[in-house]
Amino acid sequence: MFRLILITFFILVSFNNIQASMTKDELTKFIDKSMSIGKKDETLPMWEILDKNKELHSFIFETFDLAPIAGFSGGKMNMLVQMDIEGNFLDVQLLEQDEPVFVSGLGVLPFVEFLQQYKNKSLKNSIKVGDLKSSGNTVYLDGVSKATASVKIANDSILASSIKIAKEKLSGVAPKEISHPKKDLLEKHTWKSLLDKNLVKNLRVTKEEAEKLFINSEYKNELLDDERSELFLDLYVADLTIPSIAKNLIKQSTQDELDGQILETEEAILILANGEHQILSDDFVRNTSPDTLEIQQEGFALNIRDGDYEINLLDGIPQFDQSLILQVDKRFDFDPSSPWILNAKVVRGNGTLYSTPVIKNLSLDVHIDKKYFDIKQKVKETPLWLSSIYEQKEKLIILTLLLIGLFIILFKYQVVLKNLRYKRSFLLLITLFFIGWYGQGQLSMVTILGLVKAVLNSQSLQFLLYDPFSLKIWFFVLISLAIWGRGTFCGWLCPYGVLQEFSHYIGRMLKFPRIRFSENLNSKLVYIKYIVLASLILSAIFAPNITEYLIEIEPFKTSITLVFDRQWPYVVYALFWLVLGMFLFKGFCRYFCPLGAFLSLMGRLQTLNWLPRRFECGNPCNNCHKSCNYQAIDKKSGDIKYAECFQCLDCVQIYSDADLCKILKKDAKKEKDMQIKDWRKTNG
């Protein structure tokens, strides 16, 4: 059956493709009645929208035509975007999606509400998904809890497609092509020559000049005569990505830190300042985007954030009271060789809840000689999904350490055999709370089916990278399949499996009756999960519209992703298996789980029969067989059925313990009898 599915899958790959591109008549219903659809562009898949005077008003396009990024499920995600000729989003509507969390989990309404946030936002803003407060030209959209990856994919698709339009049609909205600094050009400079050659730009503002900004405002301060010439701000700006600047400004320790953290998609901008004005607000949080600083290029606000570096200046460089290094996101084509502006914001009137603050900019124009850049070199585009990896780096580090620890435990399992139940329970709690509910790392057939649909539709597999936390677990599981089989995930890393295992422990504590099927019946029931797996894969190929409903046979989304915050039928279904688990040990995992079936099939790559067995196991001893909750030990031969084994290590504990293993008991008795016999011969 499995081979048949694979053959069918690859045959159909050549005959499937996803198309977008609505017709002119279909688009008409999405625009205002006073508007009309003009002509379709000759080079880009978009249409003009004309006002009542037949003048160009805006553009309308489908994101999938311009940036066909697959959804988190691997299926099509398509939005209809209307953007005016100034780069302002007039409307963003959902056309198609099959994200499981929005199909039958949270419902589609949260996705629709998320997209409504784009109205009146500008492409000139740096638009991000997150829970931070919008500041400057960085605008944060409220994400959707439990669906962060999906809405981030939607945001990337909307921005990527809109920027393609802006580059071709909206002059001044999208910036120029990126140029890289020449890494082999290294000049020696003093502080004075850096200033003279405009490699370091300076803005000096007196208090009198600062007050002129607020001359027509109620927040203008009256100065004494001797205060007018006092320093308000003495600001210096330098691009540390240029070697001729960095090598003459900062010590090697700071350079090493930069080299270790700055990304290819980022520019490091050094800001130094003296004076009364504080370039960062009192409540500024390191590693975030500062509210009081802004970098613009051709009216396009750039995405910036503090790098939280320890800044050590070279000897001979003046000392400064304030310093920071900003990391400028170049993914939206910031060109450091072209003029750009640094705005230091002066804010007054924000001391009370009801006051309306007045914000003025102290602007510094920066334009570095093009000889320091390789103008012909084109930037290698970095995928937008990379941000997901860096946003979760702390979680990924912890997860890596946990997986390494688990690998060591399974490789040297003897270290946990003493008090195994307590040690294993502790590790399972980490799986449930950290990997499951906190990290949202519950693996699912959704990923496998998404992979099937993406290949069938000739789409990129980039969607897999939007959830690096789960991807790392998948990578570990695939490795473990070749070494130990399916049990590494099913027995140690599946959060829902942990819930079932704990429910069985509770059932034992409450002394509920225990259901254990006969060997004959159990050997037949285990094939149900393979039928479920085949049904899901066939539906992904022949009837993808129903796959998102069939996948609900997995209770993972309800119990782990949404933490039981869902419509009652789904909650009842997820709880059913947990209640049943009090009587029947991990019934869903053993008999119905399609992911378990998939891993069992892949587990045939396993290279090690690593759980120790003796010749006497099975005959005459059946102690391990009787004690195996998974019924994964053959009664006659005592061999481990690795396709059904969850690696709980109970049998290994029995195997290694002279008080539990009948063979060891028998051998110990023989040895004792021989010792007594030898003693009698000697002392008889």
Side-chain angles (χ1 to χ4, degrees):
M1 175 63 76
F2 185 65
R3 291 179 180 177
L4 176 62
I5 292 172
L6 285 179
I7 293 171
T8 306
F9 166 71
F10 286 112
I11 290 175
L12 292 175
V13 166
S14 303
F15 298 97
N16 285 270
N17 193 21
I18 292 180
Q19 299 293 334
S21 300
M22 298 173 68
T23 65
K24 184 175 182 178
D25 291 339
E26 290 172 331
L27 288 171
T28 301
K29 64 182 180 180
F30 290 98
I31 65 173
D32 190 271
K33 292 182 179 180
S34 62
M35 305 286 179
S36 61
I37 302 292
K39 64 179 182 179
K40 186 175 183 179
D41 190 78
E42 296 179 357
T43 57
L44 294 174
M46 67 175 187
W47 294 79
E48 295 179 346
I49 296 181
L50 308 177
D51 61 20
K52 60 183 179 181
N53 298 319
K54 302 302 179 182
E55 298 290 335
L56 179 61
H57 175 268
S58 54
F59 299 101
I60 191 167
F61 52 90
E62 296 175 58
T63 60
F64 199 83
D65 285 333
L66 292 153
I69 303 175
F72 186 62
S73 68
K76 179 178 176 182
M77 183 182 288
N78 192 23
M79 282 72 65
L80 185 68
V81 179
Q82 185 178 350
M83 182 174 66
D84 69 17
I85 57 177
E86 298 297 329
N88 301 309
F89 290 107
L90 303 179
D91 196 12
V92 178
Q93 298 189 46
L94 179 63
L95 293 180
E96 188 173 349
Q97 63 87 26
D98 56 6
E99 299 297 274
V101 71
F102 291 127
V103 172
S104 57
L106 300 172
V108 74
L109 183 59
F111 199 175
V112 173
E113 292 175 344
F114 167 77
L115 296 178
Q116 290 174 352
Q117 298 178 83
Y118 286 90
K119 288 185 179 179
N120 302 319
K121 303 294 190 301
S122 174
L123 190 58
K124 295 180 179 180
N125 295 123
S126 174
I127 301 176
K128 292 185 173 183
V129 177
D131 55 3
L132 296 177
K133 181 181 179 182
S134 298
S135 59
N137 276 299
T138 301
V139 175
Y140 288 94
L141 305 180
D142 293 331
V144 179
S145 179
K146 313 301 182 185
T148 304
S150 294
V151 296
K152 282 187 176 181
I153 294 172
N155 183 57
D156 287 349
S157 181
I158 292 168
L159 293 182
S161 57
S162 300
I163 287 172
K164 284 186 178 180
I165 300 295
K167 283 183 177 180
E168 297 294 328
K169 301 297 179 181
L170 308 183
S171 176
V173 174
K176 299 178 180 178
E177 200 74 35
I178 300 174
S179 298
H180 285 301
K182 292 180 179 178
K183 298 299 183 182
D184 56 349
L185 177 57
L186 181 58
E187 301 172 337
K188 190 170 183 179
H189 288 287
T190 63
W191 175 251
K192 183 177 183 304
S193 63
L194 286 171
L195 290 169
D196 291 341
K197 292 185 176 294
N198 289 321
L199 295 175
V200 175
K201 295 288 291 184
N202 173 233
L203 174 66
R204 185 179 178 86
V205 181
T206 64
K207 288 185 178 180
E208 183 177 22
E209 291 170 334
E211 292 307 320
K212 288 180 181 179
L213 297 174
F214 299 91
I215 194 167
N216 295 320
S217 167
E218 60 180 305
Y219 301 112
K220 182 180 183 299
N221 298 322
E222 296 298 329
L223 299 174
L224 300 176
D225 290 340
D226 57 352
E227 292 180 314
R228 298 180 186 278
S229 60
E230 289 182 2
L231 181 65
F232 181 76
L233 177 64
D234 190 19
L235 181 71
Y236 296 84
V237 177
D239 187 344
L240 293 180
T241 313
I242 300 174
S244 293
I245 297 177
K247 296 296 183 181
N248 293 292
L249 270 183
I250 57 175
K251 291 184 177 180
Q252 190 61 42
S253 59
T254 302
Q255 184 67 58
D256 291 341
E257 190 178 359
L258 267 177
D259 294 340
Q261 296 188 40
I262 198 76
L263 304 179
E264 185 182 351
T265 58
E266 294 176 324
E267 196 85 1
I269 304 299
L270 174 66
I271 298 180
L272 305 169
N274 284 322
E276 177 185 286
H277 178 67
Q278 298 296 307
I279 58 176
L280 297 176
S281 59
D282 294 336
D283 57 354
F284 175 69
V285 178
R286 306 299 302 200
N287 274 312
T288 63
S289 179
D291 297 338
T292 52
L293 293 172
E294 177 184 72
I295 292 180
Q296 285 191 358
Q297 188 170 62
E298 296 188 3
F300 188 88
L302 303 175
N303 184 16
I304 62 174
R305 69 179 178 88
D306 165 50
D308 195 15
Y309 295 98
E310 182 178 349
I311 301 173
N312 296 309
L313 301 176
L314 292 171
D315 297 337
I317 304 298
Q319 297 300 308
F320 294 90
D321 298 330
Q322 306 173 60
S323 63
L324 77 156
I325 295 176
L326 291 177
Q327 295 178 193
V328 185
D329 193 337
K330 297 193 294 187
R331 291 178 302 168
F332 296 127
D333 297 339
F334 166 54
D335 179 15
S337 70
S338 297
W340 51 275
I341 298 172
L342 174 73
N343 290 324
K345 298 182 178 298
V346 183
V347 184
R348 292 184 181 176
N350 60 343
T352 64
L353 179 63
Y354 302 103
S355 62
T356 301
V358 175
I359 303 174
K360 300 293 183 180
N361 288 331
L362 295 173
S363 299
L364 176 61
D365 294 328
V366 180
H367 187 193
I368 302 171
D369 194 319
K370 290 186 180 293
K371 79 171 188 176
Y372 295 99
F373 298 90
D374 187 352
I375 304 300
K376 295 181 181 180
Q377 184 179 354
K378 293 184 178 180
V379 111
K380 182 181 179 181
E381 293 186 6
T382 302
L384 297 172
W385 48 261
L386 268 181
S387 59
S388 297
I389 296 176
Y390 294 102
E391 287 172 5
Q392 299 184 51
K393 60 182 179 182
E394 292 85 3
K395 286 199 301 183
L396 291 173
I397 291 172
I398 295 173
L399 176 62
T400 301
L401 295 175
L402 289 174
L403 294 179
I404 291 173
L406 178 58
F407 187 92
I408 294 172
I409 287 172
L410 294 178
F411 195 77
K412 296 288 186 181
Y413 55 83
Q414 295 87 351
V415 300
V416 295
L417 292 183
K418 186 176 181 181
N419 296 320
L420 172 64
R421 183 58 54 84
Y422 298 105
K423 294 175 182 176
R424 176 172 162 77
S425 296
F426 175 73
L427 292 172
L428 293 182
L429 285 173
I430 294 177
T431 293
L432 177 61
F433 286 95
F434 175 73
I435 293 180
W437 285 329
Y438 175 70
Q440 293 290 289
Q442 171 72 65
L443 302 191
S444 166
M445 277 301 297
V446 170
T447 305
I448 305 300
L449 297 177
L451 183 64
V452 171
K453 288 189 288 185
V455 174
L456 284 173
N457 295 305
S458 303
Q459 291 179 263
S460 167
L461 302 183
Q462 179 176 307
F463 73 94
L464 296 171
L465 301 174
Y466 278 89
D467 185 7
F469 191 85
S470 295
L471 187 62
K472 182 177 282 289
I473 300 174
W474 272 114
F475 183 73
F476 179 84
V477 169
L478 290 175
I479 293 175
S480 69
L481 282 173
I483 303 175
W484 297 301
R486 60 86 63 102
T488 304
F489 172 74
C490 296
W492 295 88
L493 294 173
C494 178
Y496 188 73
V498 173
L499 282 178
Q500 286 195 90
E501 191 160 331
F502 284 159
S503 73
H504 190 72
Y505 294 158
I506 293 173
R508 304 285 64 73
M509 292 170 58
L510 298 176
K511 298 182 179 180
F512 288 166
R514 184 179 180 185
I515 300 174
R516 185 180 176 96
F517 297 126
S518 67
E519 290 299 308
N520 185 47
L521 179 57
N522 177 74
S523 64
K524 292 179 174 59
L525 291 176
V526 295
Y527 286 103
I528 295 176
K529 60 179 177 285
Y530 297 104
I531 297 174
V532 175
L533 172 64
S535 301
L536 285 172
I537 294 180
L538 289 172
S539 74
I541 296 173
F542 295 108
N545 291 335
I546 68 170
T547 304
E548 282 66 38
Y549 299 97
L550 294 180
I551 195 63
E552 290 299 338
I553 196 168
E554 290 184 338
F556 306 156
K557 185 185 351 177
T558 300
S559 56
I560 304 301
T561 305
L562 301 176
V563 198
F564 297 100
D565 183 13
R566 204 177 179 192
Q567 296 95 329
W568 69 266
Y570 297 102
V571 175
V572 169
Y573 174 71
L575 291 176
F576 162 77
W577 288 110
L578 297 181
V579 173
L580 181 63
M582 295 181 178
F583 306 89
L584 175 65
F585 186 73
K586 299 181 78 166
F588 176 80
C589 297
R590 294 164 60 194
Y591 303 124
F592 277 84
C593 181
L595 180 60
F598 174 80
L599 295 178
S600 293
L601 292 173
M602 295 297 101
R604 298 182 188 277
L605 299 172
Q606 175 190 343
T607 58
L608 297 178
N609 290 325
W610 63 289
L611 296 175
R613 297 282 85 195
R614 293 188 177 92
F615 177 77
E616 298 88 349
C617 293
N619 184 21
C621 181
N622 269 308
N623 202 15
C624 291
H625 163 77
K626 294 176 181 177
S627 301
C628 181
N629 287 320
Y630 300 95
Q631 295 178 263
I633 300 178
D634 188 88
K635 182 177 182 180
K636 294 182 179 180
S637 66
D639 293 337
I640 305 293
K641 304 173 187 176
Y642 283 97
E644 307 303 326
C645 174
F646 283 55
Q647 299 174 8
C648 65
L649 301 181
D650 283 349
C651 64
V652 183
Q653 187 178 38
I654 295 171
Y655 177 94
S656 307
D657 194 326
D659 293 328
L660 300 175
C661 179
K662 293 179 180 179
I663 306 302
L664 290 181
K665 282 184 178 180
K666 183 178 179 181
D667 291 343
K669 186 176 184 302
K670 283 182 178 180
E671 184 177 352
K672 186 175 181 180
D673 290 343
M674 289 297 295
Q675 289 175 351
I676 293 173
K677 188 175 181 179
D678 291 342
W679 181 86
R680 285 175 176 171
K681 286 182 180 180
T682 305
N683 299 279

